[in-house]
Amino acid sequence: MQQNAIVVSAPGGADVLKVTRTQAPAPGPGEILVKVAAIGVNFIETYQRSGVYPVDYPFIPGSEISGTVAALGEGVQGLSIGEAVATSRAVAGYAEYAVVKSEHVGKVPQGMDLQLAAALPLQGMTAHYLVHSSYLVRQGDVILSYAGAGGVGLLLTQMLKLKGAMVITTASTQEKKDLAKAAGADHVVDYDQVADTVAEVTDGRGVHAVYDGIGKDTFETSLAALRTRGTLVLFGGASGQVPPFDLQRLNTGGSLKVTRPSLNHFIEDPHEHAWRFGDVFGWAASGTLDVRIGASFDLAEAGAAHAALESRATTGKILLLP
C-alpha cells in the first residue's frame, strides 16, 4: 500500500521537507498501524530536520498523532480496528499511516474531535508531568514560566491554576499576553520585566519553581528568580542549550535544585502513561482544559508549518492534516 509522507533526505531548512510517495508501514508484534487523522508539529522535529539532533537520513519526522486503528500486530490486545487513538510516541508520523507500540497509545474519549486529540499528547502530558512530578506544585506556590501563549504554556498555566498556584509568565505581543491572561495567568510580562515582577510579587523572596523551556537565553534569569530551596525545571532549549556551570552556584543561591527532564522518562511505565493521558484527555473532554489550535496545514505544507513554528509568531498548537 502506497502513502504520502514527508521525507527529509538531508539536513537543512524548512524547504527540505518534501512530500513523497512511499510504502506504508506494517505493524510488527505488539504494534498497531494507525490511519493518521492529524499530526502535532513540535520543535524537536525542527532540530532533527536541521541536523541539530542527529538522525539517520532519509527519515520521516513526527511522533505525535491521532487517528484510527487500521491494523493490529501479533499479540496486541485491548484495541480494535477503527478505534480512535492518540500518541506522542509514533514512528514516522508525518504520513498517512504510522506504526506505534500498542502500549504507547491511549484511547480518545468518545466524541472528541481527532484534530483536538492530536494537539494533546505531547504538550498536554508534558505540562502534566511538569506540574505533578518534576516539581510537585502545591496550593499557594508562586511559579514562573515562559512563553505563556505557546502550546505548552497555555496548558501549563491552566494546570498550575488547577493546583492553586500563582502564575507569572511571559509573552512578546499584546495578543499573546491576552491569551495567557485568558488561560489564567496572574501576571503576564515582557521578558525583560521578569526579575522586577518576581521581586515585587514575592516581596523579594523569589518563586518556588521555574518552568523553563527556553534554555540558554533565560537560564540566568530563571536561576536568579528562585527562592531558597527553589527548583528550576529546565525542560527545553528553544534558544539553545545551557552551557556547563559550576554546581556550587546552587549552594550559594540558596540550596537550589535544577532538573533536566523529558517526557518519555515520565510515561515509560504503562500505569503512569495511563494516569497522565487519562487526566489530560479527560480534562479536555469535560471542558476543564481549553486547548488552542493555532494553525493547521496540509501535509504537503510541512515546510510552511515548520517556518511558522520557528518564527515564534504562532500561538497554541500547529497541526498537519494528511
Side-chain angles (χ1 to χ4, degrees):
M1 181 173 61
Q2 292 283 302
Q3 66 165 354
N4 286 326
I6 297 297
V7 177
V8 179
S9 298
D15 60 334
V16 303
L17 295 161
K18 303 292 187 183
V19 64
T20 306
R21 291 294 288 174
T22 66
Q23 185 68 27
E31 297 177 336
I32 63 170
L33 180 68
V34 177
K35 180 175 174 55
V36 178
I39 305 151
V41 180
N42 297 291
F43 263 105
I44 189 171
E45 289 125 36
T46 71
Y47 302 149
Q48 294 166 335
R49 181 213 75 219
S50 64
V52 173
Y53 287 2
V55 296
D56 293 328
Y57 300 96
F59 88 110
I60 299 171
S63 63
E64 185 179 35
I65 63 169
S66 67
T68 53
V69 178
L72 301 173
E74 181 183 350
V76 172
Q77 297 180 343
L79 291 168
S80 303
I81 303 296
E83 278 193 298
V85 295
T87 182
S88 64
R89 303 178 77 178
V91 176
Y94 282 23
E96 293 178 304
Y97 291 88
V99 164
V100 59
K101 291 182 178 180
S102 61
E103 67 263 31
H104 291 167
V105 302
K107 295 182 182 181
V108 175
Q110 189 170 5
M112 177 178 282
D113 180 81
L114 285 176
Q115 291 188 29
L116 175 64
L120 280 170
L122 194 146
Q123 292 173 334
M125 289 196 293
T126 292
H128 191 283
Y129 89 73
L130 291 176
V131 170
H132 294 88
S133 301
S134 279
Y135 169 77
L136 181 57
V137 177
R138 296 172 175 82
Q139 176 81 27
D141 280 356
V142 184
I143 305 294
L144 169 64
S145 69
Y146 296 97
V152 172
L154 289 168
L155 299 175
L156 179 59
T157 292
Q158 292 176 75
M159 292 188 201
L160 287 169
K161 296 308 295 183
L162 288 175
K163 296 286 285 185
M166 175 182 285
V167 180
I168 303 168
T169 193
T170 61
S172 57
T173 68
Q174 189 57 52
E175 178 192 5
K176 290 183 176 183
K177 289 176 181 176
D178 291 343
L179 287 171
K181 273 283 190 182
D186 299 279
H187 304 275
V188 186
V189 299
D190 295 327
Y191 285 82
D192 60 2
Q193 297 174 317
V194 167
D196 289 343
T197 303
V198 167
E200 180 181 352
V201 169
T202 66
D203 293 326
R205 292 192 300 273
V207 299
H208 294 84
V210 181
Y211 295 112
D212 187 341
I214 305 296
K216 179 171 64 69
D217 290 352
T218 51
F219 182 76
E220 293 296 334
T221 300
S222 297
L223 210 58
L226 292 170
R227 67 177 59 198
T228 298
R229 296 170 61 182
T231 299
L232 169 51
V233 183
L234 183 69
F235 68 95
S239 68
Q241 301 307 309
V242 174
F245 75 103
D246 182 2
L247 290 177
Q248 180 61 19
R249 293 182 59 194
L250 302 180
N251 177 24
T252 58
S255 296
L256 306 178
K257 303 182 189 73
V258 176
T259 182
R260 180 60 177 91
S262 61
L263 172 61
N264 283 349
H265 297 141
F266 289 81
I267 56 174
E268 285 181 346
D269 179 88
H271 298 289
E272 195 169 16
H273 177 271
W275 166 44
R276 300 194 197 285
F277 191 99
D279 275 0
V280 170
F281 277 76
W283 291 332
S286 69
T288 301
L289 198 63
D290 180 55
V291 184
R292 178 179 175 82
I293 297 174
S296 299
F297 295 83
D298 289 339
L299 180 64
E301 299 177 305
H306 274 220
L309 185 64
E310 291 175 302
S311 75
R312 304 293 202 279
T314 60
T315 59
K317 189 70 179 183
I318 295 178
L319 299 179
L320 292 177
L321 305 178

